[in-house]
Amino acid sequence: MDTIQHRTVSVNGINMHVAEKGEGPIVLFIHGFPELWYTWRHQILGLSSLGYRAVAPDLRGYGDSDSPDSISSYSVMHIVGDLVALVESLGVKQVFVVAHDWGAIIAWSLCLFRADIVKAFVCLSVPFRPRNPMMKPVETFRKVFGDDYYICRFQNPGEIEEEMAEVGAKAKAVLQSILTTRNPGPLILPPKGQAFKARPGSPPPPLPSWLSEQDLSYVASKYEQKGFTGPLNYYRSMDLNWELTAPWTGMEVKVPVKYIVGDADIVYTTPGVKEYVNGGDFKKNVPFLQEVVIMEGVAHFLNQEKPEEINTHILNFIKKF
């Protein structure tokens, strides 16, 4: 890990922290919630040893990158703009993209807006879903899953942060609660004030084999410095993104794509997702989708849970281009 280099890059009006290692074609790794560049530690070491330059930023609001105050500063236009500026700073015209969770959502938009700079895309967990011109996302989630669906509960500034603060063990307990869950989707939160608390008398959930105490402490240290508001603002910008992306309604994603998901992933087990991924609509919306991989017994944080397998999947795909 100490061979990974760190630097700060000025992009799109913010300072972005970047972790990188290796020489060769660039693989841009985009993390999700509630993570950091650190989620890609195994992929950075693995791909850099195979002739690639692995580049993993902290997205705006996360880790050691700047965290603007306003919710509107976390629109998809801002975040994709950060990544376009980052690629430009690297001095190349195209990169491979690997992304997970919210990073995948951002990467799908990057592919829509600037397909010219994406050589190929390996998507983990979250498939592309076309914009519904008839209904805003949060309204849709509330109608289908109810007010306690996690995205709905994340909407009001300060509320979920207050619940997180009530846990009493700062960021570490919150992260442990999220990173260790293997419950099937959709993610419905317990009543307010109980979302991140262990049951009375119960110890916190044990760490899985793929997440050490050192790993958890590193990530928690960054959240304790800045809190969760920046990352949560991605969810609070979802309806704004819906408004801003109206010109792309009905557009297909036209870059080569490999999609990988665990069959125990909370995204994949949410009603309707399996049918969408496997039933033909996903391929219709992403016509250059070349591979779909369903990993048995693997949950949401698959790049950490099965790093060697994920590294092999990434390499076997990008080496075609």
Side-chain angles (χ1 to χ4, degrees), residues 4 25 66 82 88 108-109 140 145 158 181 194 207 224 247 294:
I4 296 174
D66 285 352
D82 296 345
E88 184 175 321
W108 286 120
S109 295
T140 302
F145 299 122
T181 184
Q194 301 178 30
L207 294 181
E224 286 169 6
I294 313 297

Side-chain angles (χ1 to χ4, degrees), residues 18 85 97 103 118 120 164 208 238-239 261 273 276 281 284 304:
V18 176
V97 174
V118 180
M164 290 173 171
M238 293 181 82
D239 282 352
V261 69
V273 176
Y276 172 74
D281 286 343
K284 181 180 178 181
Q304 298 183 76

Side-chain angles (χ1 to χ4, degrees), residues 126-140:
V126 182
F128 174 73
R129 300 302 292 259
R131 179 183 183 273
N132 178 357
M134 304 304 296
M135 189 177 293
K136 294 182 177 181
V138 177
E139 179 184 355
T140 302

Side-chain angles (χ1 to χ4, degrees), residues 282-300:
F282 187 22
K283 174 69 173 178
K284 181 180 178 181
N285 293 320
V286 186
F288 298 159
L289 176 66
Q290 297 189 11
E291 297 180 57
V292 172
V293 178
I294 313 297
M295 301 181 70
E296 293 186 9
V298 180
H300 183 64

Side-chain angles (χ1 to χ4, degrees), residues 80-300:
V80 170
D82 296 345
L83 296 174
V84 171
L86 174 59
V87 171
E88 184 175 321
S89 76
L90 297 172
V92 296
K93 292 184 177 180
Q94 283 192 315
V95 296
F96 294 110
V97 174
V98 180
H100 171 254
D101 189 77
W102 251 106
I105 297 172
I106 298 303
W108 286 120
S109 295
L110 175 64
C111 291
L112 274 181
F113 303 162
R114 292 296 307 271
D116 59 305
I117 67 173
V118 180
K119 195 176 299 184
F121 173 32
V122 179
C123 175
L124 308 183
S125 182
V126 182
F128 174 73
R129 300 302 292 259
R131 179 183 183 273
N132 178 357
M134 304 304 296
M135 189 177 293
K136 294 182 177 181
V138 177
E139 179 184 355
T140 302
F141 291 131
R142 201 178 300 277
K143 181 177 181 181
V144 175
F145 299 122
D147 291 340
D148 286 328
Y149 186 58
Y150 77 107
I151 290 175
C152 301
R153 286 273 290 277
F154 284 1
Q155 291 304 307
N156 293 330
E159 282 192 7
I160 200 71
E161 290 97 323
E162 185 175 340
E163 289 191 55
M164 290 173 171
E166 290 175 359
V167 172
K170 298 185 179 179
K172 193 172 183 179
V174 174
L175 291 166
Q176 189 164 348
S177 172
I178 296 171
L179 294 172
T180 58
T181 184
R182 294 183 73 92
N183 296 329
L187 178 56
I188 308 299
L189 295 183
K192 291 183 179 180
Q194 301 178 30
F196 302 100
K197 290 183 178 179
R199 293 180 179 179
S202 300
L207 294 181
S209 60
W210 51 264
L211 186 69
S212 71
E213 188 70 30
Q214 183 179 2
D215 295 331
L216 182 61
S217 294
Y218 175 80
V219 178
S221 70
K222 300 300 180 181
Y223 279 90
E224 286 169 6
Q225 290 172 20
K226 288 191 174 180
F228 285 85
T229 296
L232 289 167
N233 282 341
Y234 284 65
Y235 294 92
R236 293 164 184 158
S237 298
M238 293 181 82
D239 282 352
L240 173 60
N241 291 340
W242 180 86
E243 296 173 6
L244 294 172
T245 56
W248 288 271
T249 301
M251 283 194 66
E252 300 171 344
V253 174
K254 293 187 176 180
V255 302
V257 173
K258 179 173 186 173
Y259 173 72
I260 310 171
V261 69
D263 66 359
D265 189 322
I266 198 167
V267 173
Y268 190 63
T269 56
T270 293
V273 176
K274 291 180 185 179
E275 294 79 5
Y276 172 74
V277 167
N278 300 306
D281 286 343
F282 187 22
K283 174 69 173 178
K284 181 180 178 181
N285 293 320
V286 186
F288 298 159
L289 176 66
Q290 297 189 11
E291 297 180 57
V292 172
V293 178
I294 313 297
M295 301 181 70
E296 293 186 9
V298 180
H300 183 64

